[in-house]
Amino acid sequence: SSSSKRLFELATAMFCLGGLLGSLLGGWMADTVGRKYSLLLNNVFALASGFLMVFSKDFAMLIGGRFVEGFAAGASIVMVSPYLGEIATTSTRGAIGTLNQLGISLSILLATVAGLPYLLGTCGLWQYIVGIPIALSFLQLAALPFCPQSPRFLYINKNNAQAAEQALRRLRPVGLDASDELSEMRMEKEKQDSMEKLTLCQVLGGRNFRFRLVLTMVLHTAQQLTGINGVFFYSSAIYSSAGLTNVAAIALIPAVLNVVFVGVSMKLVDRLGRRTLMLAGVAGMCCSHIILTVGLCFQDGFFSNSSDSGTNWTASLAIVGSAGVVIFFSIGPGPVPWMIVNELFPQNTRAIAYAFAGTVNWMANYLIGQFFLQILDGLKPYGFLVFAAVSLGYTLAVYFLQPETKCVEIDTIDAYFRRKAEHPGSGFAFVFNAGQDVID
């Protein structure tokens, strides 16, 4: 109903508003007290949101819980992403960075399972679903103190080489020589110490960071605007139209595909590269949206809930298209944007960069939450062609703008972008190779 849609949009808006604010403050928290301790502090907001929603007596209290939950989610993602990138080696930075998206996908799967009608998806038990973050927060509070701090944060931000070495020894296999990593951190610190400390305005307006910020904006808006939310929203109707009646299967298929193919991306990202997976992802989503549109166009009753939902082949085609959207999203636009920010920006600007990325991402999330239902309700099956066109635009943007950064040291990547800032006409589609000098 129209009232239900308005409540859905309001809940989405408050969650996104909280996420935007959390992204802005989360980066500052991560730089002030460190990635590990900021994550511990963020559990205060996660617990508060869970208790607000579990014990909500009215809709206002529930919406307030959604806002605080959004704040905790926004702050968490700009704390977790740099932490994962900074504890990884150069050769495993992509796989370790993808763990962030894998955690998000597993959480979606957990919520989907909990929301099944014969588990907690009933009018009398729904509070237990929104209370899941309480249990996860207590789990993190119990486990995170045993995790080491970020060695790069300790060395470069806090000038504590001894603590950084101790953290590295805990993170690396016994007997592995960490001198090369410490040497690389020392050189990055010396380089940053020789430069003026940058403010937010200097980073956002500085010539050296302009292209990186544009690339960050492209990748993070691609994550939200390529139509994954629309496919998830209509997935139940798409699978039902093909004659699938098992409620659990209908609900779980997209969530399981999401988890499985984020895992595939984790295996491939350090082999094939970030650019390759991102390009394949957005191009594949474009083709999948077209296939989904063709399948839905022949199902006249699909958007009107009519019993005449088309033939088996059209329903099967729609399923292939919707599954393709989820698969290609999970390979590229899902994991790559959050992970790659860690590679595009040096240590002294990383918190600002993640705050910028989070703000852009949550703003795009808000726009989708407010307007994608109107787009699909207004254009019916042809609404997915809008997402196909958007995905095509991002395919071109990624092709021309995103360089490959796999297995390259942060200092080398930084030098590459500084050179591009000095010679902006030298081309954007530069491909890195491990150990290759960026000077032509």
Side-chain angles (χ1 to χ4, degrees):
S1 66
S2 60
S3 61
S4 297
K5 289 180 180 179
R6 284 195 295 270
L7 292 177
F8 171 81
E9 291 171 354
L10 178 59
T12 301
M14 295 305 293
F15 183 76
C16 292
L17 182 60
L20 192 153
L21 185 60
S23 295
L24 289 173
L25 295 180
W28 172 80
M29 290 171 63
D31 251 11
T32 303
V33 300
R35 283 64 164 133
K36 173 182 173 179
Y37 293 115
S38 61
L39 280 168
L40 284 169
L41 288 172
N42 192 48
N43 282 290
V44 173
F45 300 102
L47 287 169
S49 69
F51 285 118
L52 273 172
M53 290 188 290
V54 167
F55 297 105
S56 59
K57 301 298 182 183
D58 52 37
F59 193 74
M61 194 172 175
L62 183 64
I63 289 297
R66 285 283 291 173
F67 174 82
V68 180
E69 183 182 42
F71 181 93
S76 176
I77 202 165
V78 300
M79 297 168 184
V80 170
S81 298
Y83 179 74
L84 292 175
E86 290 167 10
I87 66 173
T89 63
T90 300
S91 61
T92 61
R93 202 169 52 221
I96 298 298
T98 304
L99 285 171
N100 181 44
Q101 186 65 28
L102 183 62
I104 294 172
S105 300
L106 285 170
S107 299
I108 294 172
L109 178 59
L110 174 61
T112 303
V113 171
L116 292 174
Y118 44 79
L119 292 177
L120 302 178
T122 64
C123 293
L125 298 175
W126 66 268
Q127 289 96 336
Y128 292 102
I129 299 178
V130 296
I132 289 176
I134 297 174
L136 296 178
S137 294
F138 279 122
L139 178 63
Q140 188 179 85
L141 285 170
L144 196 57
F146 297 98
C147 298
Q149 292 195 65
S150 161
R152 301 186 72 87
F153 175 81
L154 291 171
Y155 199 125
I156 300 173
N157 293 64
K158 295 302 182 182
N159 195 27
N160 193 337
Q162 184 178 359
E165 184 176 2
Q166 292 173 350
L168 270 179
R169 291 187 185 280
R170 292 183 61 190
L171 288 163
R172 304 295 178 253
V174 176
L176 183 68
D177 186 9
S179 58
D180 288 343
E181 286 187 76
L182 290 169
S183 177
E184 191 264 331
M185 293 180 202
R186 177 180 55 79
M187 288 188 291
E188 185 176 349
K189 177 172 175 52
E190 290 175 353
K191 180 180 177 181
Q192 293 186 16
D193 287 345
S194 66
M195 300 178 182
E196 180 185 3
K197 186 174 177 62
L198 298 174
T199 65
L200 174 65
C201 293
Q202 287 173 322
V203 173
L204 296 181
R207 183 179 179 183
N208 284 330
F209 300 100
R210 192 171 300 153
F211 174 62
R212 300 182 230 201
L213 292 170
V214 170
L215 181 56
T216 299
M217 184 182 299
V218 167
L219 297 181
H220 278 267
T221 53
Q223 187 182 75
Q224 297 295 338
L225 302 183
T226 46
I228 185 65
N229 292 325
V231 170
F232 265 103
F233 189 83
Y234 279 107
S235 60
S236 295
I238 291 170
Y239 288 107
S240 296
S241 69
L244 190 61
T245 58
N246 187 292
V247 175
I250 292 174
L252 290 176
I253 287 173
V256 170
L257 285 175
N258 192 16
V259 171
V260 169
F261 282 92
V262 170
V264 171
S265 178
M266 186 177 171
K267 286 287 188 181
L268 297 178
V269 68
D270 287 315
R271 299 178 186 178
L272 301 182
R274 294 80 161 117
R275 181 176 186 269
T276 300
L277 293 187
M278 190 69 191
L279 193 59
V282 288
M285 290 184 77
C286 175
C287 297
S288 298
H289 279 304
I290 294 173
I291 293 172
L292 175 58
T293 301
V294 173
L296 295 181
C297 279
F298 291 96
Q299 299 183 55
D300 295 333
F302 181 82
F303 281 88
S304 61
N305 296 320
S306 168
S307 59
D308 180 17
S309 58
T311 61
N312 287 334
W313 75 267
T314 60
S316 299
L317 196 63
I319 287 178
V320 170
S322 65
V325 172
V326 175
I327 289 169
F328 285 109
F329 173 84
S330 303
I331 288 174
V336 171
W338 288 114
M339 174 265 296
I340 203 172
V341 174
N342 205 72
E343 300 180 329
L344 298 180
F345 294 87
Q347 188 79 17
N348 64 335
T349 61
R350 194 164 291 143
I352 295 174
Y354 269 108
F356 172 80
T359 300
V360 170
N361 196 289
W362 285 101
M363 288 177 66
N365 194 340
Y366 170 80
L367 289 175
I368 285 295
Q370 294 301 299
F371 298 112
F372 89 89
L373 284 178
Q374 288 90 324
I375 291 173
L376 295 179
D377 286 349
L379 298 177
K380 304 303 182 186
Y382 299 104
F384 288 103
L385 286 181
V386 174
F387 295 125
V390 171
S391 299
L392 176 61
Y394 280 115
T395 302
L396 296 174
V398 169
Y399 180 81
F400 287 109
L401 297 179
Q402 184 179 350
E404 185 54 74
T405 55
K406 69 169 182 174
C407 300
V408 185
E409 292 183 352
I410 301 297
D411 196 50
T412 305
I413 298 172
D414 183 50
Y416 162 79
F417 280 110
R418 289 183 181 276
R419 189 191 67 175
K420 291 303 178 187
E422 295 173 1
H423 306 284
S426 60
F428 293 134
F430 182 88
V431 179
F432 286 108
N433 292 309
Q436 178 181 339
D437 193 345
V438 298
I439 300 176
D440 291 331

